[in-house]
Amino acid sequence: MSETTGASYAAAGVDIEAGDRAVELMKEWVKKTRRPEVLGGLGGFAGLFDASALKRYERPLLASATDGVGTKVDVARRMGVYDTIGHDLVAMVMDDIVVCGAEPLFMTDYICVGKVHPERVAAIVKGIAEGCVLAGCALVGGETAEHPGLLGEDDFDVAGAGTGVVEADRLLGADRIRTGDAVIAMASSGLHSNGYSLVRHVLLNTAGLALESEVAEFGRTLGEELLEPTKIYSLDCLALTRTTEVHAFSHITGGGLAANLARVIPDGLHAVVDRSTWTPGAIFDLVGRTGNVERLELEKTLNMGVGMMAIVPAESTEVALATLADRGVDAWVAGEITERGAKETGAELVGDYAR
């Protein structure tokens, strides 16, 4: 009589041992993000953060955000490069948090894969941990989920959530902005993590460009350009708040520069940004030229070379620019705050880009 074998988790495609190995491989990277307030280590059901550290605040406000990196993960998968996408994740989460003036405290991640390849998962977490160090926050935990049958063996996605803190009377935002304030632009490191559905459609699907192809304007391959990690501005923004007066920040993500800047402009005021103050990088020109994408569509989708904006009093611009320069951030005065006209909507780009 033949012996029958019952169903098992492994037979269904979930490899618990591989998951355990991935955790072991990532521990050394998570340890590098540790802050004094973090209790315990990996392996618990929850990450612990000692909230007594907030006693030094008069009225601490917690700021939270969650995000992913969109279809940029497809480029990472196709390139077989997994240790940069984590930088993007941290930037998308923590640079949203710092906009209100909050100091990043801690972050958790969620990695979903079709099949656990321990070294790949560890490489993703390595990138997240390195990003957390750049943002000044701790990586206190996360989850790796294996979804066989829903995702292909090489498919994955990442998401994360973060928490920061800001003193109530130092909260930045629209209510601080005044007519005559200067708008300071901080250069992006490239596409960051937005608009990749358009970029992939234009460059890879329609034009059929190969990720391995060398592009003279970039001085490297197309894939390397597309995987350039998102700039993390958290500590740069906090440095600004310590050295001079800042009224607001705007993180330039999905929707483009004008739409994101408008989110922090109060009723009655208007931000005017002059395109002639900078030249977008070659990647933006390549996407527009190759796909015959109209400028307005590009500007609604991509950051066009600006990843973060600071709104400061006009008299603070010199100190603000000097502070950013000392930190290696390319920044410039790109516009100003004016009274809003009847047909104006909060923020607009004027003029033509410098050549």
Side-chain angles (χ1 to χ4, degrees), residues 35 37 56-57 63 94 97-98 100-106 135-137 163-166 235 238:
R35 289 174 51 126
E37 305 94 337
R56 61 188 173 89
Y57 291 83
M94 287 306 179
I97 284 175
V98 81
C100 67
E103 173 194 356
L105 295 176
F106 58 84
C137 66
T163 299
V165 62
V166 60
L235 297 183
L238 291 178

Side-chain angles (χ1 to χ4, degrees), residues 108-196:
T108 57
D109 64 65
Y110 178 79
I111 303 171
C112 183
V113 299
K115 178 178 176 60
V116 172
H117 300 280
E119 289 74 17
R120 292 183 189 176
V121 173
I124 294 170
V125 174
K126 171 180 178 285
I128 296 172
E130 290 173 339
C132 285
V133 171
L134 292 174
C137 66
L139 180 59
V140 297
E143 172 72 8
T144 300
E146 194 170 22
H147 288 179
L150 294 181
L151 297 174
E153 287 196 2
D154 292 328
D155 292 338
F156 74 98
D157 199 6
V158 295
T163 299
V165 62
V166 60
E167 189 70 73
D169 64 6
R170 296 183 64 82
L171 184 69
L172 304 181
D175 61 325
R176 291 179 178 263
I177 297 175
R178 300 289 182 266
T179 302
D181 281 354
V183 179
I184 293 177
M186 301 180 217
S188 69
S189 55
L191 293 170
H192 285 184
S193 298
N194 293 106
Y196 273 75

Side-chain angles (χ1 to χ4, degrees), residues 26 81 156 195 222 231 236:
M26 67 178 70
V81 176
F156 74 98
L222 175 62
K231 168 73 175 170
D236 304 315

Side-chain angles (χ1 to χ4, degrees), residues 17-299:
E17 291 183 359
D20 291 341
R21 173 162 167 72
V23 172
E24 286 301 314
L25 291 173
M26 67 178 70
K27 279 183 177 179
E28 66 170 299
W29 299 109
V30 175
K31 191 180 298 184
K32 295 179 186 295
T33 75
R34 194 175 183 91
R35 289 174 51 126
E37 305 94 337
V38 176
L39 304 178
L42 287 185
F45 286 94
L48 297 175
F49 190 91
D50 186 355
S52 67
L54 305 185
K55 289 181 179 178
R56 61 188 173 89
Y57 291 83
E58 292 286 331
R59 184 186 168 203
L61 302 181
L62 293 180
S64 65
T66 185
D67 211 336
V69 300
T71 60
K72 189 172 184 175
V73 296
D74 181 60
V75 180
R77 178 189 61 81
R78 292 168 66 168
M79 291 285 291
V81 176
Y82 303 95
D83 62 352
T84 62
I85 206 77
H87 286 237
D88 300 293
L89 180 62
V90 176
M92 299 310 288
V93 173
M94 287 306 179
D95 283 347
D96 273 357
I97 284 175
V98 81
V99 161
C100 67
E103 173 194 356
L105 295 176
F106 58 84
M107 183 167 174
T108 57
D109 64 65
Y110 178 79
I111 303 171
C112 183
V113 299
K115 178 178 176 60
V116 172
H117 300 280
E119 289 74 17
R120 292 183 189 176
V121 173
I124 294 170
V125 174
K126 171 180 178 285
I128 296 172
E130 290 173 339
C132 285
V133 171
L134 292 174
C137 66
L139 180 59
V140 297
E143 172 72 8
T144 300
E146 194 170 22
H147 288 179
L150 294 181
L151 297 174
E153 287 196 2
D154 292 328
D155 292 338
F156 74 98
D157 199 6
V158 295
T163 299
V165 62
V166 60
E167 189 70 73
D169 64 6
R170 296 183 64 82
L171 184 69
L172 304 181
D175 61 325
R176 291 179 178 263
I177 297 175
R178 300 289 182 266
T179 302
D181 281 354
V183 179
I184 293 177
M186 301 180 217
S188 69
S189 55
L191 293 170
H192 285 184
S193 298
N194 293 106
Y196 273 75
S197 293
L198 173 65
V199 172
R200 288 166 49 249
H201 172 71
V202 168
L203 300 183
L204 306 182
N205 300 340
T206 303
L209 300 181
L211 290 171
E212 301 78 15
S213 59
E214 293 284 340
V215 181
E217 300 98 303
F218 305 153
R220 55 181 173 177
T221 68
L222 175 62
E224 288 169 336
E225 176 69 22
L226 296 185
L227 280 189
E228 178 65 34
T230 304
K231 168 73 175 170
I232 298 174
Y233 301 93
S234 303
L235 297 183
D236 304 315
C237 290
L238 291 178
L240 272 189
T241 65
R242 290 191 297 268
T243 58
T244 192
E245 184 178 355
V246 177
H247 289 165
F249 291 112
S250 177
H251 187 197
I252 311 305
T253 57
L257 195 155
N260 281 286
L261 185 54
R263 293 167 66 180
V264 299
I265 305 301
D267 291 341
L269 296 184
H270 187 64
V272 180
V273 176
D274 187 353
R275 296 185 185 94
S276 70
T277 59
W278 82 96
T279 303
I283 184 62
F284 303 101
D285 179 66
L286 179 66
V287 174
R289 180 166 35 85
T290 304
N292 195 27
V293 184
E294 294 183 359
R295 185 172 72 179
L296 181 59
E297 184 65 24
L298 279 179
E299 292 176 341

